[in-house]
Amino acid sequence: MSEHEEIDEGFYSRQLYVLGREAMQRMGEANILIAGMRGLGVEVAHNVILSGVKSVTVQDEGQVLWEHLSSQFFLREADLGQNRAECSLPRLASLNPRVQVSAHTGPLHEDMLMQYQVVVLTDSTLEEQKRLGNHCHSHGIRFIVVDTRGLCGQLFCDFGEEFIVLDRDGETPMTAMINYITKGNPGLVSCLDEENHGFQDGHKVSFSEVRGMAELNTMGPQEIKVISGHSFSIGDTSGFTETGHGGVATEVKQPSTITFKPLEEALMDPELLVMTDYGKKARHQTLHLAFQGLHMFVQKEHRLPKPTSQADAAVLLGMVRGLNASAQLETLDEDVVLLLARTARGDLAPLNAFMGGVAAQEVLKACSGKFKPLIQWLYFDALECLPKDVDNKDEQLSDSTFSPDGSRYDGQIAVFGSKFQERLGKLKYFLVGAGAIGCELLKNFALMGLGAGEGGHITVTDMDSIERSNLNRQFLFRSKDIGKMKSSVAAEAVREMNPSVNITAHQNRLDPESERVYDRSFFRGLDGVVAALDNVEARVHLDKLCVLHQRPMLEGGTLGTKGHTLVVVPHLTESYGQPKADTEGAIPLCTLKNFPHRIEHTLQWARDQFEGWFKHVPENVNLFLRDPGFVERTLGRGEAEALEVLGGVFGALRDGGAQGHRPTCWEDCVHWARCRWESLFSNELRQLLHCFPADQLTTSGLPFWSGTKRCPRPLTFDQKKEPHMQYIVAAANLYAHIYGIAGTRDCAAIRVTLRDTPVPAFVPSSRLSDRPITEEDQERGITDDGKARLEQLTEALRSLALEGPAMHMHPVEFEKDDDSNFHMDYITAASNLRAENYDIPPADRLQSKRIAGRIIPAIATTTAAVAGLMCLELYKLVQGHREVSSYRASFLNLAVDYFVLSYPSSPASFTVTRSSGAVKPKVYIQHSNDAYLPCVAQLGNVEDQCAEYVNCPSTQTVHHRDDKSPFRECFLKLCLSMSNGRCPASWTNGAFLSTG
């Protein structure tokens, strides 16, 4: 993807929303070298290749061994004894045909590095890191080292003496609506109270549309100092003509320059350490020395420490103590050194997925200048995955338990032992979702051997089929799979990675209708559930089922470079629960109709126009034609809604085309589009200004058009202006489609038709029903004029004699990813024309597609990292950990190397008492809100023997009515006669209940 090549938006669309076009153009010119093709190296390579750099060279001198199959997903048993780079090459190259991928099987030397912009070392010696790191630093080559040993990982970045970061965080520049600006030194800028401005000290902002102090509109960016959430100061404004009011302040992002130290020098600077878990500061400082000590051990012994050798552990600890004599750490965590020695021979797919995803993101930063790079060391560990009662001194550890036995799981057995591997193989798990995270999880499951033993099984369900835009991050799919079902293709890919995996693919949506498939018997046969879903509603529903059937759940999600994970353990941690209603993003109706001030408003308006004219109206017409009771039923939905629906039906049947009749030919559709343009972008604005002139004052004597109310500007149609013609072409073709008329893209022919289109002159109306809606109008009912119009419509539709089949219409379902269907053409053109009406900066097609299509930005690096963290939590579930401190909920942002790993929340507890007052054991109720959730489910098959309990919400206690059976034998049994013998859904929402 050179500077002059066009970016393949169909393939990269979701990633484009994360990185932007300019950053991807710079990436498209970068040549990357990745050394080491074990599990970690292939993780970095597959993410970088999917991202769309110019070329990737993978280097490795080693041969494929059994132990490599535990984490290297592009190696097969047939590759044993062959070169790792050459065996990986064909499968890596198939990920993205736009990237040149090659293999190098010889050693690394300084001269060959000169052809690359970024060099990544994995599985390398410390001496090699120093030597090549010094060379790269002195020649301006970005240098990255990443390594994993067992449950510990290390990452280092050196991007040279002067690395320019063009955009630190990738967030959309913030804007604030201005109330007034004072004259003074400094000048005070007061913003409207709708929301905090979000700026920080040192930010620079530009001003536009300021009235009075107009000089600010033409000045460059001004540095600010924050005073409060609604005000900030700028420079000297005392010399300006007058006090300013109105306008917009917009953040202007400034490039920054970062200086890096070479690795050899950075080794001596423990301050260059980015934390991944703030509760492990001493542990990660120790790991900085422990990894150096491990290199010293290998150099001396020519091998890694043995898992069960206390002597090896003691040698490593002595080496680290020696390093600490110079480093002088405040706390040397010796237990971490011993555990590193115990696990260093391990090679775990989940840890490689996490560290590989993070490292790959640093590669993209290095060649794009987008996002703040790592400065400069990062350490990560998941030592909580180990059994609580086993440490390096445990005499029960035997060589045979952790020794390689020619198994594809040897790298995992070296950490957890053979018995743990057997347990993994026997597990039954349910994965919901086979999209981006689902693919990464399935890859990890196959490498781990989950469900690959006798009795083990994975069930995966996903109702979606594969689209081209999926291929950039859902790496189990290829172009040949487009149109096939995701779950089936993913299951087949997993079987190819590990033929032993037992997996079944379903194509069911997870909702109440599928509970006949995923019933009590199904869930009781599971060991756990994993959610890889893209919407909150599905997560909430799955969480309810897990709570109902007391099964652990792993959940994760991504949004661009941001990601999160959650582990839900029955009776131990809080569940996902029901999220609180979020209305912050809702746009008021009056804002959409008359007072937009952001591009999001105009895009939502355009989307509403699209849905109304090309989907809802045709659907209602079809209902009217086949359902005699349609009119009466519509009238029962309220006068305002009935007026809109019936008016649309009548207009489509009688008044939808030019000259007051349905379109009968293509020319009629062009006429309709032209008249529609005039109505939307000229006449309606003129009517608005007729009712509220530009100099209108409120009853308080203040300007009506101020603050977020931008005074509109009617447009004049011009065939020579591209947005004007884009709207006509798209609207006419969509209108033709719903009537079954063939359209055309021939703009020349459309211009000829437009010359003959009669456009009625605008005549302002003073009728109350034609007055634009304001905030005060929203709570009022329909006007008298509206009632009269509704009566006319009702009578007209009842008496309308139509030929049913001939009138049938063809509704349009919005599809954002098909560039030939005119959907995004219409929405982009309509939004930008309305933005021009209100002097709002327009949005290009890509940005419009993201907002109007509600697309979630996505990138493969974050997906890999999140899936890795989820699978690390799975290890802990298999171990059976019963302490909250063993688990981690996580939030990360790879754009700025921000990591928060914290303990999951514990469930709330309530006391159960008998009516006599005797105290029963505590009842633990797991939920995510403050509501008391009294009823959950029955335990086992004893529901018919359960005693009844009654909820007393005022005291948050449950009173026992009789004593038929011990409380510990059952859960609450409340009103099981309701809802066909099941507890109401509102009672089972996100709650766990158990006896203490």
Side-chain angles (χ1 to χ4, degrees):
M1 194 176 7
S2 71
E3 183 179 354
H4 304 291
E5 282 184 291
E6 221 174 283
I7 295 173
D8 186 344
E9 291 187 8
F11 184 83
Y12 292 115
S13 64
R14 304 311 188 259
Q15 181 178 293
L16 268 168
Y17 299 126
V18 181
L19 298 173
R21 195 175 299 276
E22 294 180 1
M24 285 201 59
Q25 289 285 7
R26 290 188 291 270
M27 284 165 45
E29 300 171 359
N31 302 301
I32 316 297
L33 171 67
I34 301 172
M37 277 297 105
R38 299 181 67 171
L40 179 58
V42 79
E43 281 285 0
V44 178
H46 107 275
N47 284 308
V48 172
I49 292 169
L50 286 172
S51 73
V53 296
K54 180 179 180 181
S55 75
V56 172
T57 299
V58 293
Q59 180 273 344
D60 200 315
E61 298 179 75
Q63 295 181 335
V64 180
L65 304 177
W66 273 110
E67 64 189 49
H68 301 146
L69 300 184
S70 64
S71 67
Q72 221 283 28
F73 47 88
F74 280 156
L75 296 179
R76 305 290 181 262
E77 293 181 16
D79 299 327
L80 290 168
Q82 302 178 55
N83 180 269
R84 290 190 293 252
E86 289 185 335
C87 291
S88 304
L89 179 61
R91 296 182 179 96
L92 284 170
S94 71
L95 288 170
N96 189 350
R98 300 152 196 80
V99 178
Q100 305 168 28
V101 185
S102 59
H104 178 72
T105 59
L108 295 176
H109 53 81
E110 284 82 346
D111 290 344
M112 72 171 291
L113 302 188
M114 300 302 294
Q115 59 186 300
Y116 301 102
Q117 283 72 52
V118 186
V119 171
V120 184
L121 299 187
T122 72
D123 195 28
S124 55
T125 67
L126 184 58
E127 291 306 312
E128 184 178 47
Q129 294 170 13
K130 291 178 180 179
R131 175 174 59 86
L132 298 181
N134 287 335
H135 176 81
C136 288
H137 187 88
S138 62
H139 289 85
I141 302 170
R142 319 307 184 200
F143 180 68
I144 297 173
V145 173
V146 59
D147 199 7
T148 59
R149 296 296 171 187
L151 287 162
C152 301
Q154 174 193 57
L155 177 62
F156 170 79
C157 292
D158 170 18
F159 293 175
E161 294 288 342
E162 293 186 352
F163 181 77
I164 298 176
V165 180
L166 300 172
D167 183 350
R168 181 184 183 277
D169 56 14
E171 300 291 343
T172 302
M174 293 176 290
T175 62
M177 305 294 291
I178 298 169
N179 189 7
Y180 63 84
I181 306 173
T182 64
K183 294 178 65 175
N185 187 12
L188 173 67
V189 181
S190 175
C191 302
L192 297 179
D193 293 336
E194 275 79 2
E195 57 186 20
N196 288 347
H197 53 63
F199 299 137
Q200 297 179 11
D201 285 346
H203 277 184
K204 291 190 175 183
V205 301
S206 63
F207 293 90
S208 59
E209 305 174 43
V210 176
R211 299 189 298 275
M213 201 175 282
E215 297 94 328
L216 278 176
N217 296 329
T218 57
M219 296 179 66
Q222 303 293 302
E223 186 171 329
I224 72 168
K225 182 176 181 180
V226 173
I227 297 174
S228 72
H230 299 285
S231 63
F232 56 87
S233 63
I234 55 176
D236 187 358
T237 61
S238 58
F240 291 151
T241 53
E242 56 181 294
T243 300
H245 58 275
V248 181
T250 303
E251 177 191 10
V252 179
K253 296 196 173 185
Q254 302 294 308
S256 59
T257 301
I258 300 177
T259 299
F260 291 81
K261 295 181 179 180
L263 184 141
E264 194 164 18
E265 184 179 341
L267 278 171
M268 303 297 108
D269 190 350
E271 296 299 317
L272 300 174
L273 195 66
V274 173
M275 301 305 300
T276 55
D277 190 330
Y278 288 91
K280 297 180 177 180
K281 182 176 180 181
R283 178 179 292 187
H284 291 168
Q285 289 175 336
T286 299
L287 282 174
H288 184 65
L289 301 182
F291 267 83
Q292 297 177 56
L294 198 60
H295 283 293
M296 295 168 60
F297 184 98
V298 173
Q299 187 177 25
K300 177 183 177 182
E301 303 292 338
H302 304 290
R303 61 174 175 82
L304 289 164
K306 296 179 180 179
T308 57
S309 174
Q310 295 185 31
D312 285 355
V315 170
L316 178 61
L317 181 58
M319 292 175 172
V320 174
R321 285 172 175 166
L323 291 170
N324 192 42
S326 299
Q328 292 292 304
L329 295 181
E330 183 177 341
T331 302
L332 182 68
D333 191 337
E334 295 190 352
D335 288 340
V336 169
V337 180
L338 298 177
L339 289 173
L340 179 63
R342 149 106 159 70
T343 60
R345 287 196 175 189
D347 191 13
L348 302 177
L351 187 67
N352 288 335
F354 174 73
M355 294 299 297
V358 177
Q361 188 66 57
E362 297 304 311
V363 174
L364 306 190
K365 295 175 186 178
C367 55
S368 71
K370 182 88 172 205
F371 306 136
K372 182 180 77 69
L374 173 69
I375 309 173
Q376 289 188 254
W377 292 101
L378 179 147
Y379 289 90
F380 174 83
D381 79 88
L383 293 169
E384 300 84 10
C385 295
L386 294 171
K388 287 295 182 183
D389 56 348
V390 177
D391 59 27
N392 198 64
K393 300 176 183 178
D394 197 316
E395 296 179 358
Q396 296 180 357
L397 297 179
S398 64
D399 288 338
S400 61
T401 303
F402 297 89
S403 297
D405 60 358
S407 160
R408 66 179 303 118
Y409 310 117
D410 281 350
Q412 190 164 258
I413 290 172
V415 176
F416 297 112
S418 55
K419 293 183 179 179
F420 179 87
Q421 189 62 51
E422 291 176 9
R423 292 207 301 275
L424 266 176
K426 294 177 181 179
L427 293 178
K428 297 181 179 69
Y429 259 76
F430 182 32
L431 172 62
V432 185
I437 294 179
C439 284
E440 289 288 340
L441 288 168
L442 284 171
K443 173 256 293 181
N444 287 329
F445 291 168
L447 297 172
M448 295 162 64
L450 179 71
E454 184 177 352
H457 194 268
I458 298 171
T459 303
V460 56
T461 188
D462 195 308
M463 62 171 293
D464 287 341
S465 58
I466 299 166
E467 300 175 1
R468 190 159 177 268
S469 62
N470 300 148
L471 305 181
N472 174 239
R473 64 202 184 283
Q474 300 177 16
F475 87 107
L476 295 181
F477 309 143
R478 302 292 182 270
S479 296
K480 62 182 176 61
D481 300 319
I482 292 175
K484 299 178 183 177
M485 300 306 295
K486 288 183 179 180
S487 58
S488 299
V489 175
E492 189 58 38
V494 164
R495 292 189 193 97
E496 184 184 349
M497 285 185 188
N498 183 352
S500 299
V501 171
N502 304 306
I503 185 169
T504 300
H506 293 177
Q507 289 79 42
N508 301 318
R509 182 196 298 272
L510 195 77
D511 58 18
E513 293 183 4
S514 65
E515 288 186 29
R516 58 185 177 80
V517 178
Y518 307 118
D519 56 10
R520 176 189 177 123
S521 175
F522 175 81
F523 272 87
R524 289 297 182 186
L526 296 174
D527 294 291
V529 175
V530 185
L533 295 157
D534 61 359
N535 66 88
V536 172
E537 291 76 15
R539 289 182 173 102
V540 169
H541 182 72
L542 181 59
D543 177 66
K544 288 180 183 179
L545 294 176
C546 290
V547 167
L548 183 67
H549 301 292
Q550 303 175 75
R551 290 297 176 263
M553 183 180 80
L554 295 165
E555 187 271 332
T558 69
L559 178 65
T561 59
K562 300 170 185 175
H564 80 272
T565 66
L566 177 70
V567 56
V568 179
V569 187
H571 319 311
L572 183 66
T573 72
E574 188 177 65
S575 74
Y576 186 88
Q578 179 71 45
K580 295 181 180 179
D582 181 13
T583 59
E584 292 183 2
I587 304 173
L589 176 62
C590 61
T591 298
L592 287 179
K593 290 182 71 68
N594 299 308
F595 310 123
H597 54 273
R598 299 172 60 89
I599 196 66
E600 289 84 358
H601 301 159
T602 66
L603 281 164
Q604 182 61 57
W605 175 87
R607 176 72 186 269
D608 291 346
Q609 291 286 321
F610 177 94
E611 296 287 342
W613 275 102
F614 308 122
K615 181 176 186 291
H616 297 318
V617 167
E619 287 176 341
N620 290 330
V621 167
N622 293 340
L623 282 172
F624 169 75
L625 294 175
R626 68 172 180 262
D627 182 0
F630 174 79
V631 173
E632 282 68 22
R633 194 168 56 254
T634 303
L635 289 172
R637 291 157 62 179
E639 292 176 330
E641 186 175 354
L643 181 61
E644 180 181 355
V645 172
L646 297 182
V649 171
F650 184 78
L653 293 174
R654 244 334 167 208
D655 301 330
Q659 307 304 319
H661 57 76
R662 287 167 57 93
T664 58
C665 60
W666 165 246
E667 288 73 18
D668 283 349
C669 298
V670 176
H671 296 331
W672 175 87
R674 175 63 185 88
C675 292
R676 191 71 185 149
W677 190 102
E678 195 71 18
S679 174
L680 292 176
F681 308 113
S682 181
N683 293 349
E684 290 185 7
L685 283 304
R686 295 185 185 199
Q687 179 65 41
L688 181 60
L689 291 172
H690 173 75
C691 296
F692 302 101
D695 57 357
Q696 176 85 18
L697 298 179
T698 67
T699 55
S700 303
L702 299 175
F704 178 85
W705 296 107
S706 63
T708 58
K709 290 189 178 76
R710 293 168 174 256
C711 188
R713 175 171 54 91
L715 304 181
T716 301
F717 183 75
D718 186 347
Q719 291 189 16
K720 297 178 181 178
K721 292 185 176 180
E722 186 176 357
H724 295 207
M725 284 302 295
Q726 281 180 344
Y727 179 88
I728 298 296
V729 172
N733 275 278
L734 287 168
Y735 196 64
H737 173 83
I738 63 176
Y739 286 103
I741 298 171
T744 179
R745 291 180 179 270
D746 188 345
C747 287
I750 293 173
R751 287 189 173 94
V752 172
T753 304
L754 286 173
R755 288 200 293 266
D756 299 327
T757 299
V759 180
F762 170 70
V763 178
S765 172
S766 297
R767 292 189 308 167
L768 184 61
S769 60
D770 291 328
R771 183 165 83 64
I773 295 176
T774 64
E775 294 97 326
E776 294 79 9
D777 298 324
Q778 291 189 61
E779 301 301 324
R780 299 175 183 169
I782 192 168
T783 66
D784 290 339
D785 284 349
K787 290 180 180 179
R789 172 65 176 160
L790 182 58
E791 292 175 1
Q792 294 171 0
L793 284 171
T794 302
E795 290 304 316
L797 287 171
R798 283 171 177 165
S799 61
L800 199 58
L802 300 170
E803 296 179 7
M807 295 296 181
H808 181 79
M809 297 182 70
H810 308 279
V812 173
E813 286 290 341
F814 176 65
E815 171 49 59
K816 59 187 176 296
D817 289 321
D818 182 354
D819 290 336
S820 66
N821 62 12
F822 296 102
H823 297 189
M824 280 310 305
D825 297 301
Y826 178 88
I827 288 174
T828 303
S831 171
N832 285 338
L833 287 168
R834 188 162 177 82
E836 187 179 354
N837 282 138
Y838 285 89
D839 291 320
I840 299 170
D844 62 20
R845 183 187 180 88
L846 190 68
Q847 184 184 3
S848 299
K849 182 190 290 188
R850 178 182 65 80
I851 298 171
R854 301 177 180 91
I855 293 174
I856 299 175
I859 191 169
T861 51
T862 316
T863 304
V866 164
L869 290 175
M870 292 172 69
C871 289
L872 288 172
E873 296 305 303
L874 193 151
Y875 282 142
K876 301 171 187 178
L877 291 173
V878 179
Q879 296 283 14
H881 289 330
R882 297 303 306 166
E883 296 179 5
V884 170
S885 59
S886 298
Y887 296 93
R888 294 292 184 274
S890 66
F891 173 80
L892 55 90
N893 185 350
L894 299 187
V896 292
D897 294 307
Y898 178 71
F899 304 88
V900 175
L901 280 78
S902 59
Y903 299 161
S905 299
S906 298
S909 64
F910 298 87
T911 301
V912 175
T913 64
R914 298 186 185 183
S915 56
S916 62
V919 177
K920 295 291 289 183
K922 278 193 175 182
V923 177
Y924 297 96
I925 299 181
Q926 177 170 347
H927 59 94
S928 63
N929 52 40
D930 295 330
Y932 180 51
L933 305 171
C935 181
V936 183
Q938 300 76 44
L939 178 63
N941 296 313
V942 299
E943 63 266 30
D944 293 333
Q945 305 169 16
C946 288
E948 285 191 285
Y949 293 83
V950 177
N951 176 33
C952 298
S954 60
T955 58
Q956 291 191 334
T957 60
V958 176
H959 294 279
H960 184 235
R961 279 190 176 172
D962 59 50
D963 200 16
K964 295 179 182 177
S965 60
F967 180 81
R968 65 178 61 254
E969 292 181 6
C970 65
F971 279 131
L972 297 178
K973 185 178 182 183
L974 288 179
C975 303
L976 293 181
S977 60
M978 298 174 61
S979 304
N980 296 320
R982 299 174 57 192
C983 296
S986 61
W987 289 3
T988 62
N989 193 10
F992 269 120
L993 185 65
S994 70
T995 54

